[in-house]
Amino acid sequence: MTQQTRCDTLNIAHRGARSVAPENTIEAARKGLEMGADLWELDVQLSADDELVVIHDDTLERTSNVETAFADREPWNVSDFTLAEIRELDFGSWFNEEDPFGQIEAGVVSAEDRRSYEGIGAPTLREALEWTSRNDWKVNVELKHLGEDVEEENYVERVVGLIQELGMTKDVLISSFNHDYLVRAKAADSTIPTGALVGRGIDDPAGYVRDLGADAYNPSSEAISPSRIPDLREQDVEVYVYTVNEEDELARLVEAGATGIFTDFPQRLARVLDECRHER
Ligand code: G3P
């Protein structure tokens, strides 16, 4: 049984600290690390030349300047661009222009940080893992569902192979909404923990996770009531809830004994955990 210890919730920075830096970049990861997160989350998918790249959306236009750099390549699917082409893109300036979480306007993001975001690239999975390892940190690797049009024979197995090659099997949690990928990951290496992402609640999460051979249940915050968490933890299921940004909700999940929480504001979760520890 997993010991449920209040206040020991892992502080996960969702796609890095994406409220204060462009998501899925090393800069966002660095911010999460500085803010006291215990690990960060990244999303991985395949480029046209089969490279494992760290990008959230299936298309490039939301988080890069692809619309101007490659105006004639709509719909800008990640899977239609080679790594060399992705390397030409700027994955940082959009954050400064759009301030997606209002943190620039709130004065939380310094001018120096904003300058440092201009022109930054999307890391490959190898670069992101190596950076994580160099910083003696941990990471949640979310395997994006690649879709029927993307040809892949060993996407999952290559991710697992890379984690093994870098000696990071103890530092990575693999998650996915595509639960077949989790079965493949376990078949490739049963020692790497896996978590089943779900957008809607399911009837018997503990049984479901067990049947999958997974270690964790990763529901959206709408898909789970905090009151169900202690029972799942009693049944040896880790529970990582996404994406929670409000302090009162973070506090409820910490109190309920969630294993981890995905948040865009690791600084808020760090504060909640501090308060919890002081009350002990
Ligand atoms: O991994 C938790 C959360 O990040 C899942 O949502 O949108 O990043 O795939 P999304």
Side-chain angles (χ1 to χ4, degrees):
M1 189 191 86
T2 306
Q3 187 65 39
Q4 184 191 317
T5 45
R6 225 174 124 247
C7 317
D8 288 342
T9 303
L10 288 168
N11 181 349
I12 300 183
H14 178 67
R15 300 182 210 161
R18 69 170 180 149
S19 60
V20 294
E23 65 182 65
N24 265 322
T25 64
I26 297 297
E27 284 67 15
R30 183 176 290 118
K31 284 288 170 198
L33 182 60
E34 285 169 9
M35 289 173 173
D38 294 301
L39 63 159
W40 66 299
E41 189 245 12
L42 60 79
D43 302 278
V44 60
Q45 48 190 317
L46 282 176
S47 67
D49 50 347
D50 259 0
E51 295 289 340
L52 297 163
V53 287
V54 175
I55 296 170
H56 180 268
D57 298 358
D58 298 340
T59 60
L60 292 158
E61 77 273 18
R62 183 177 63 85
T63 59
S64 81
N65 63 338
V66 72
E67 283 173 287
T68 47
F70 292 95
D72 58 346
R73 296 275 295 276
E74 200 175 354
W76 302 296
N77 295 317
V78 174
S79 57
D80 291 336
F81 284 75
T82 63
L83 178 60
E85 289 171 333
I86 291 170
R87 293 265 196 224
E88 289 179 36
L89 298 174
D90 170 355
F91 283 85
S93 296
W94 72 275
F95 178 88
N96 293 342
E97 286 152 20
E98 293 180 24
D99 191 13
F101 291 84
Q103 295 300 288
I104 295 176
E105 194 182 348
V108 177
V109 185
S110 70
E112 188 186 345
D113 279 346
R114 293 201 300 279
R115 271 194 303 279
S116 75
Y117 299 156
E118 289 167 14
I120 58 175
T124 61
L125 180 62
R126 175 182 289 277
E127 289 164 348
L129 290 177
E130 286 177 344
W131 182 89
T132 306
S133 177
R134 272 199 304 280
N135 284 280
D136 200 17
W137 208 24
K138 295 177 189 291
V139 62
N140 171 206
V141 173
E142 182 183 336
L143 301 170
K144 300 305 285 190
H145 174 67
L146 295 180
E148 313 318 319
D149 297 341
V150 180
E151 278 185 37
E152 67 90 10
E153 281 175 14
N154 53 7
Y155 162 62
V156 176
E157 293 72 15
R158 282 178 58 208
V159 171
V160 169
L162 185 56
I163 294 167
Q164 290 172 325
E165 179 196 324
L166 298 175
M168 293 183 70
T169 54
K170 292 189 168 42
D171 303 319
V172 174
L173 167 70
I174 292 180
S175 65
S176 187
F177 286 100
N178 181 328
H179 299 168
D180 290 340
Y181 290 170
L182 301 180
V183 174
R184 284 168 57 184
K186 273 291 175 191
D189 189 330
S190 63
T191 69
I192 302 176
T194 58
L197 282 161
V198 298
R200 276 193 250 150
I202 52 180
D203 283 344
D204 174 18
Y208 184 78
V209 165
R210 245 191 322 269
D211 289 349
L212 268 184
D215 305 275
Y217 183 54
N218 295 19
S220 71
S221 58
E222 293 81 28
I224 190 163
S225 151
S227 63
R228 296 199 63 191
I229 293 175
D231 178 51
L232 287 166
R233 298 293 311 274
E234 284 287 323
Q235 295 186 66
D236 242 354
V237 176
E238 306 294 345
V239 182
Y240 296 86
V241 184
Y242 74 94
T243 298
V244 182
N245 289 338
E246 298 309 322
E247 287 193 24
D248 53 350
E249 197 180 356
L250 289 166
R252 276 198 294 277
L253 289 164
V254 167
E255 182 68 32
T259 313
I261 306 171
F262 294 92
T263 179
D264 300 313
F265 292 84
Q267 66 275 39
R268 292 184 186 167
L269 181 50
R271 210 157 41 227
V272 167
L273 290 172
D274 262 1
E275 277 170 23
C276 179
R277 288 177 190 125
H278 279 114
E279 283 165 15
R280 265 212 288 218

